[in-house]
Amino acid sequence: MMVSGRNEETSERIRLGMVGGGNDAFIGGVHRIAARLDDKFELVAGALSSTPEKSRESGKALGLTRVYDDFKQMAMREARLKSGIEAVSIVTPNHVHYAAAREFLKRGIHVICDKPLTSTLGDAKKLVKAAESSDALFILTHNYTGYPMVRQARDMIADGAIGKIRVVQVEYPQDWLVEHQDFKQAEWRTDPERSGAGGSTGDIGTHAYNIACFVTQLEAESLAADLQAFVPGRKVDDNAHVLLRFKGGARGMLWSSQVAPGNENALRLRVYGEKGGLEWAQEDPNHLWFTPYGEPKRLITRNGSGAGEAANRLSRVPPGHPEGYLEGFANIYGEAAEAIYAHRKGIKPDASVVFPTVQDGLNGVKFVAACVQSSARNSAWVKLE
């Protein structure tokens, strides 16, 4: 049930809390920028680190007056306040997501959670049940789904621009783990107790899988994966090659790697159908290439000629001025805000409001689990169920 005493006007800023994201955390800062960009959220409380001392230090640096020792204390106390938080951003390592999200969901506080959903499939399934039994919203920050030209591609495919899909190619290579690294961001991501069984598959493979499914609106039914941990002593994969079979007959290939020198964040999606193809690259996010079969390749630009309403509603500046990672991330927060505003009024948000859900998160964790299982069985085909 919703917490009482929260009958604000729709236009008022949403009171936001944060779990994790302290002084030395990269992704916490990204979430705070994204939440501020459109001025729809106000950060008012946090449990910002795994120790009370670090949490207080981080809270002081952010100018917060309500800083808590842990997320459970925060959820309990904020739920009792008339001016308590309406939503919480969970930006911790993966193994904390389930326990933290559960505490806020059962108190009617909306959850905006970083990906992947959880570190284990068991926790993911329990979190889906917790979200379904709560009146609160659950938003998963697969931020690349917020890029305008990703929305353009999704809309064009839905409208039949490339016909029935035959082939989906998606890749996300990086090079930051080519060698052993022991700084914080690398250390927990390569620890299966905190990251989960997947390394590159969980960290960036889930992004690739999610964007492929989001844009095509296809559902994968099985996969065959070959995972490697090339760096000696590494306990999780740092490279993955995955074959995908989609319901309806389409086929796909996914490559995720964190040991590919020369690649920074080279997420790329290509989709080919009976009538044409689409290509998009995250490092050139304002451009979408469309090739009708037998015709010259066409460039569609963000907010430019040929861009439709699905893309334009998420664009902030005229064409030619770049928008990218932070704006795309902010668009997820913007969609979350619209859904929360509608929730305040007891109605559903406009149909144009789209964001990754807890079910998308479960699908991502199923993907990782299936990859690990398949690779352990000499790349045998495994059903996604």
Side-chain angles (χ1 to χ4, degrees), residues 3-6 15 66 68 76-85:
V3 177
S4 62
R6 298 183 179 180
R15 297 185 299 277
R66 301 204 302 269
Y68 298 93
M76 292 175 61
R77 293 186 181 178
E78 288 294 317
R80 295 172 184 155
L81 296 175
K82 184 177 180 180
S83 59
I85 62 171

Side-chain angles (χ1 to χ4, degrees), residues 361-382:
L362 175 60
N363 292 342
V365 180
K366 284 182 177 180
F367 163 78
V368 175
C371 284
V372 172
Q373 181 183 355
S374 171
S375 189
R377 295 169 52 191
N378 197 30
S379 302
W381 284 95
V382 172

